[in-house]
Amino acid sequence: MQGSKPSVYVSEDEKDLANALVKELSGRYHVLWSETGAEAVEAALAGCVAVLVMDRKLKGADGLALIAQLRQKGNRTPALMISAMGEVDDRVAGLRGGGDDYLVKPFAMAEFSARVDALARRQACAEAPQLRAGPLELDLVARKVLRDGREIDLLPREFKLLEYFMRRPGLVVTRQMLLEDIWNYRFNTQTNVVDVHIRNLRLKLDAPGAKKLIVNLRGEGFILDVAP
């Protein structure tokens, strides 16, 4: 960290793009930059970085291979992969190789900035062992969920889904957000997996006569309503 700002390390060998990325983030982050990615890996291993931005093709280096090395060493620093390689297989390889998000060039700076912010928020709250939202309590270490003191037995995917909502109480969560962030689907799909899991989660969360916590907003998505 640098002062009160979290640090973001940008590894990009196209200097014009790198300058634009650094400028976009500099107001909110302490931004470091390199052309090769090796320095970013060292900084991540030292625990000095909140988010990595890594191009897949760097001078003399494979950005995805660098992220894979970090993961093999147990380092979980969030990484946004950026690349001109935008086929489905490329995006899947980037995510399965250790990237937390994947953005295809050319992209809008506003979207880039939002994705970095999302990864930074995830990192900032990753150390908190417990989440609370209204009547809900979620213990990330013990893997326990309580509603008004009543323990609820959830399957792993249901637990992850509830955690996602509890980190965003009162905010609209779209199906696409859930498909991307919970199921790692980075392409259009007609699956109803989101609706099936939310229905099952609701059945476990809401006792007969209790207030429904996960509300369906027609045409928008879902919201965790924990207001009294």
Side-chain angles (χ1 to χ4, degrees):
M1 299 291 183
Q2 178 77 12
S4 61
K5 292 182 180 180
S7 294
V8 174
Y9 214 124
V10 175
S11 296
E12 171 57 62
D13 57 9
E14 296 177 32
K15 289 189 177 180
D16 288 344
L17 176 57
N19 288 336
L21 299 181
V22 171
K23 181 179 179 181
E24 176 69 23
L25 298 176
S26 291
R28 305 184 310 285
Y29 301 98
H30 172 62
V31 187
L32 304 166
W33 168 72
S34 71
E35 291 182 301
T36 66
E39 297 94 335
V41 170
E42 292 178 5
L45 289 172
C48 301
V49 184
V51 178
L52 294 171
V53 177
M54 185 77 69
D55 196 338
R56 280 196 64 175
K57 298 297 182 182
L58 296 164
K59 288 184 177 179
D62 181 338
L64 185 54
L66 293 174
I67 296 300
Q69 291 174 19
L70 278 176
R71 302 305 183 235
Q72 289 168 4
K73 294 178 180 179
N75 186 278
R76 304 307 306 170
T77 302
L80 170 61
M81 306 299 301
I82 57 175
S83 176
M85 303 166 64
E87 297 298 321
V88 171
D89 288 347
D90 297 322
R91 299 198 298 269
V92 169
L95 295 166
R96 287 182 173 170
D100 297 275
D101 201 352
Y102 195 103
L103 191 57
V104 179
K105 301 177 183 178
F107 47 77
M109 279 296 165
E111 181 179 7
F112 165 77
S113 184
R115 288 177 182 263
V116 171
D117 289 347
L119 292 177
R121 287 194 300 270
R122 181 191 306 178
Q123 180 73 348
C125 62
E127 297 179 0
Q130 293 184 332
L131 299 176
R132 289 182 174 82
L136 294 172
E137 299 176 51
L138 186 146
D139 189 318
L140 293 163
V141 177
R143 311 297 289 181
K144 289 177 60 175
V145 174
L146 302 176
R147 176 174 178 174
D148 293 321
R150 173 178 65 92
E151 186 168 351
I152 301 169
D153 185 22
L154 298 182
L155 296 174
R157 187 77 71 173
E158 294 166 348
F159 187 94
K160 189 173 182 180
L161 186 59
L162 180 60
E163 177 189 349
Y164 193 88
F165 276 106
M166 289 181 67
R167 293 191 186 278
R168 300 159 180 81
L171 300 179
V172 175
V173 174
T174 67
R175 286 176 176 79
Q176 191 60 37
M177 289 169 63
L178 294 171
L179 285 172
E180 291 188 3
D181 296 340
I182 303 297
W183 281 271
N184 289 327
Y185 290 167
R186 304 288 164 165
F187 43 87
N188 290 331
T189 176
Q190 300 303 314
T191 179
N192 68 342
V193 64
V194 170
D195 297 274
V196 170
H197 278 77
I198 285 183
R199 182 171 63 248
N200 293 338
L201 180 58
R202 282 168 166 162
L203 289 173
K204 295 182 178 182
L205 289 180
D206 303 330
K211 173 185 174 181
K212 297 185 183 302
L213 296 181
I214 299 178
V215 179
N216 190 357
L217 300 178
R218 189 180 183 87
E220 296 185 56
F222 307 92
I223 188 170
L224 179 64
D225 180 10
V226 292

